[in-house]
Amino acid sequence: MCLLAAFASSLPVVAHAEWQAVEKVETYAISGKTGPELYASIGAQGPKVGSLGIRTIAQTNFKLTWSRKYEPQKDGACTLVSARPNLTITYLLPRPSGKLPPAIRTSWEAFYSGVEAHERVHGDHIKDMVKEIEQLSIGFSVPDDAGCSKVREELTKRLAEISLAQRQRSRDFDRVELSDGGNVHQLILALVNGG
């Protein structure tokens, strides 16, 4: 028992802290009194994405910063003993600037709810990525790094892989949702054809 306690006390202490993402919804103004008019306004006013600046219905962005603590070890290694994320996810969604007629209001609310639910899946993907980064980071150690510079370089390389995987997961999700018959495609058809 004493041998186990002595061994455990020689290991670096790593801290896993509970955290919560801050999620907020922002809107951009659209106009129209019918489904086709509202959708056309989304096409003209929606956020631009990608290098070609293609307009989209909605967008999920995030800001991620970290509070990290690196500690040199007695054996010359450097270990990341704590990493606390500060994550803010922002959902940008369309909002009619005027009051909608009762006939279209119900269609609009269903469309808006469906689009928001879609964007929140992207938010969940981002939170999953941050949890994966946290799991990889805490306790990450590099030998012969008394100045704690190599550990940062190695960690950055590995985190880039996680980030790329999250982006691909997001693209794959959009491909399914936006395809003919996909959930977002159905939301668009219901809005345009419903009023």
Side-chain angles (χ1 to χ4, degrees):
M1 187 68 130
C2 288
L3 181 60
L4 181 58
F7 174 72
S9 67
S10 69
L11 295 175
V13 176
V14 294
H16 289 272
E18 289 299 316
W19 57 271
Q20 292 242 315
V22 173
E23 295 181 84
K24 55 187 182 175
V25 174
E26 295 179 355
T27 60
Y28 65 93
I30 60 168
S31 60
K33 298 290 184 190
T34 67
E37 288 173 357
L38 292 168
Y39 190 65
S41 186
I42 288 170
Q45 304 300 323
K48 293 181 179 180
V49 295
S51 59
L52 299 176
I54 296 171
R55 297 232 184 236
T56 187
I57 298 169
Q59 189 175 41
T60 299
N61 291 308
F62 69 97
K63 180 180 179 185
L64 174 62
T65 58
W66 291 89
S67 296
R68 293 184 173 123
K69 184 178 180 187
Y70 296 91
E71 286 187 0
Q73 303 299 307
K74 291 178 184 174
D75 64 0
C78 183
T79 301
L80 178 55
V81 295
S82 71
R84 182 163 178 78
N86 182 359
L87 174 63
T88 301
I89 301 171
T90 304
Y91 306 105
L92 181 60
L93 300 165
R95 169 142 301 158
S97 56
K99 188 173 179 177
L100 296 176
I104 192 61
R105 188 178 311 123
T106 302
S107 295
W108 172 258
E109 288 171 358
F111 174 80
Y112 182 90
S113 294
V115 169
E116 182 178 11
H118 170 90
E119 292 304 315
R120 288 194 182 270
V121 172
H122 286 298
D124 289 342
H125 293 169
I126 293 163
K127 288 183 270 187
D128 290 346
M129 174 192 70
V130 173
K131 288 174 188 170
E132 190 176 349
I133 290 171
E134 182 183 35
Q135 187 174 20
L136 172 81
S137 299
I138 299 173
F140 188 76
S141 189
V142 171
D144 298 321
D145 189 21
C148 290
S149 60
K150 294 179 193 173
V151 70
R152 287 176 168 88
E153 291 174 26
E154 283 301 312
L155 187 61
T156 299
K157 289 178 196 172
R158 296 185 188 192
L159 299 185
E161 295 169 12
I162 295 172
S163 178
L164 290 173
Q166 180 270 328
R167 287 186 193 134
Q168 186 61 52
R169 183 180 182 195
S170 182
R171 284 191 296 269
D172 292 345
F173 175 67
D174 278 344
R175 190 174 302 112
V176 170
E177 290 272 294
L178 297 168
S179 66
D180 283 348
N183 187 48
V184 173
H185 184 241
Q186 293 297 322
L187 292 170
I188 295 167
L189 290 175
L191 177 66
V192 173
N193 295 329

